[in-house]
Amino acid sequence: MSRVLAVAALLLVIGLVVMAVRAQRGDDDQIALATPTTPMPPTPTPAPSPRAGQTAAVPASAASDIRTATPATPTPRDEPPDAPTPPGPPISNEGPHPELRDIDGWLQSDVTSLEELRGKVVVVEFWTFGCINCQRTLPNLIQLYGSHSRDDLEFVGIHSPEFAHEADVDNIVAAAADLGVTWPIALDTDKRTFHHWQEGTTAYWPRTYVLDRDGNIRFDHIGEGRYDELNETVARLIADPTL
């Protein structure tokens, strides 16, 4: 009887010990689940120092921050192709042109006065077909005449003869054809207009004027030359009627 009791007591003690061990393991598992272990960040490997003559590399993330934080300098815009050309020097204005006096007639045109040409730029040249200096101005005049519309530009050659044979109309017509003069010709046989426009003791062949759309003298030149200035004056007066 006593042995039975002793065995029972031993089994009871062993059961209590097993239950205590299990209870302890359950508490450890709960603590482990409730408080997970935070992994330690890896220790960064230091970048090697740049050698002499090298520049330290910027990390990609830092480079991205620099590009974002520093806006690019705006590229200046190109000048538009139709930008206006800066204006040239002022064009002189000598006022209204003198009148035509005692003109005997007109060749190569139905025009009978300069007033009929208002609204156009007009080149007026005093010439005579036998004058070598007059002939030397013709290549530039022919080119200038052909480069602009008749709606914008007209020429008038005032033919003021120096010698008797230059006053013959047939000779003038033939000479104009030979020289390539295709613009209107006013016949100033007695040189009344020639001397009225060139008052004083001396008058000249050739003498070239440019009239604006209102009939004001904007260019005046005696003799040959100054072709670039003549052409530029004509072009500017055509391009800008307000000049």
Side-chain angles (χ1 to χ4, degrees):
M1 185 67 179
S2 57
R3 285 182 180 182
V4 174
L5 293 173
V7 172
L10 179 60
L11 292 174
L12 177 61
V13 170
I14 291 171
L16 292 174
V17 171
V18 171
M19 291 178 64
V21 171
R22 289 181 176 177
Q24 180 65 35
R25 289 181 177 177
D27 291 341
D28 291 342
D29 291 343
Q30 290 177 1
I31 292 172
L33 292 173
T35 310
T37 303
T38 303
M40 294 297 291
T43 303
T45 303
S49 300
R51 297 179 181 178
Q54 293 181 338
T55 302
V58 180
S61 60
S64 176
D65 292 342
I66 291 173
R67 288 194 295 269
T68 302
T70 306
T73 303
T75 302
R77 294 168 54 189
D78 294 334
E79 196 71 16
D82 57 348
T85 303
I91 301 176
S92 64
N93 189 336
E94 300 178 17
H97 66 79
E99 64 179 350
L100 301 182
R101 289 189 174 180
D102 299 329
I103 295 298
D104 295 327
W106 291 72
L107 303 176
Q108 306 182 153
S109 175
D110 295 330
V111 173
T112 58
S113 70
L114 293 177
E115 285 70 25
E116 295 177 43
L117 300 176
R118 292 291 185 268
K120 301 181 181 183
V121 176
V122 181
V123 175
V124 176
E125 181 173 85
F126 285 92
W127 71 301
T128 182
F129 69 78
C131 167
I132 187 62
N133 303 101
C134 300
Q135 294 175 16
R136 288 172 178 166
T137 68
L138 292 178
N140 180 74
L141 292 178
I142 291 170
Q143 182 177 6
L144 179 62
Y145 190 65
S147 62
H148 295 280
S149 166
R150 299 286 74 76
D151 293 335
D152 298 318
L153 176 67
E154 187 56 273
F155 279 24
V156 173
I158 301 180
H159 192 271
S160 306
E162 183 177 9
F163 303 108
H165 74 280
E166 294 174 335
D168 185 275
V169 174
D170 292 337
N171 291 340
I172 298 172
V173 172
D178 291 341
L179 296 171
V181 175
T182 59
W183 46 84
I185 299 174
L187 301 177
D188 183 29
T189 307
D190 295 326
K191 297 193 288 294
R192 300 289 178 83
T193 297
F194 181 75
H195 290 292
H196 178 54
W197 282 52
Q198 303 184 83
E199 294 180 347
T201 58
T202 306
Y204 302 90
W205 295 275
R207 186 160 186 172
T208 308
Y209 301 86
V210 176
L211 312 181
D212 64 20
R213 299 173 191 270
D214 296 321
N216 297 308
I217 296 175
R218 309 303 298 273
F219 177 88
D220 177 5
H221 176 60
I222 296 170
E224 304 173 39
R226 290 178 63 187
Y227 302 129
D228 289 344
E229 184 179 350
L230 166 64
N231 298 347
E232 181 182 357
T233 300
V234 168
R236 289 179 61 192
L237 290 175
I238 289 175
D240 187 354
T242 65
L243 288 176

